[in-house]
Amino acid sequence: MVNTVRTGKCIAAFLALSVSSINLSHADDIQRNLEDVKCLAQNIYHEARDQSVVGQIAVAEVTINRAKSGKFPTRICDVVFDKYQFSWTIYKPRIHEKEAYQEIFQLALDMYFQYNPENDGSVYYHAQSVNPDWSRKLKKTKIVGKHIFYKFKE
């Protein structure tokens, strides 16, 4: 069951921390952070809502790792909506499972503000049911649920 009170408290805490030191130059940063959390949540929802929390975290890490890699756009929203990177963005589906989305939004909020750079460095994944050509150029890092994850070869 979704803990909307917890989700609401987390968002309120984030806003309180942000507003406590706000000036006009920080207002845009706060807005960008909230937009990036929303984009991260949408990506997790559409790519892994039927996966375990571990699988959802792995998808979140890929998205954040890309933004921090220097090889992709630096904003989460730009990573998510980069052309042909995540198939769901082509079709722009709606969010129908509101409770699942609320739980995933909480996860996205946690991942965004408590990102652990000591993860495996995965920047790509695909469903196990396909074998894309690009995967041969990368190093496999793990299999989680229905997805195979990769990072750049060193």
Side-chain angles (χ1 to χ4, degrees):
M1 181 148 132
V2 174
N3 188 339
T4 55
V5 173
R6 180 174 171 229
T7 301
K9 285 181 180 178
C10 288
I11 293 170
F14 162 67
L15 291 173
L17 286 172
S18 299
V19 171
S20 67
S21 61
I22 195 169
N23 62 43
L24 292 178
S25 65
H26 294 299
D28 288 338
D29 291 338
I30 294 166
Q31 182 64 34
R32 273 193 294 276
N33 286 340
L34 285 173
E35 288 169 2
D36 279 343
V37 169
K38 182 180 176 187
C39 290
L40 182 59
Q42 289 173 332
N43 202 43
I44 298 166
Y45 175 86
H46 291 298
E47 292 284 320
R49 77 178 169 278
D50 64 340
Q51 303 290 303
S52 68
V53 172
V54 173
Q56 293 173 358
I57 289 170
V59 167
E61 286 177 340
V62 164
T63 311
I64 297 169
N65 287 346
R66 285 184 178 196
K68 297 193 178 290
S69 73
K71 297 181 181 191
F72 294 90
T74 57
R75 287 207 47 219
I76 299 294
C77 288
D78 294 337
V79 166
V80 169
F81 291 100
D82 200 10
K83 196 168 190 168
Y84 303 119
Q85 295 301 303
F86 298 101
S87 59
W88 71 269
T89 62
I90 297 166
Y91 308 108
K92 298 184 175 39
R94 294 178 185 227
I95 293 170
H96 296 287
E97 298 172 39
K98 302 296 184 191
E99 286 188 28
Y101 181 76
Q102 287 177 329
E103 290 176 6
I104 287 169
F105 187 90
Q106 176 61 53
L107 174 67
L109 195 61
D110 292 344
M111 291 296 297
Y112 187 84
F113 288 105
Q114 298 174 29
Y115 171 74
N116 178 5
E118 299 298 319
N119 63 59
D120 65 17
S122 294
V123 289
Y124 287 95
Y125 63 90
H126 63 78
Q128 289 189 50
S129 60
V130 298
N131 188 17
D133 291 338
W134 55 258
S135 66
R136 294 181 196 97
K137 301 173 188 170
L138 302 166
K139 180 179 179 185
K140 187 185 299 184
T141 57
K142 63 188 171 196
I143 298 174
V144 180
K146 298 176 183 176
H147 292 123
I148 303 172
F149 292 81
Y150 302 86
K151 67 180 181 178
F152 296 117
K153 289 183 178 176
E154 297 175 19

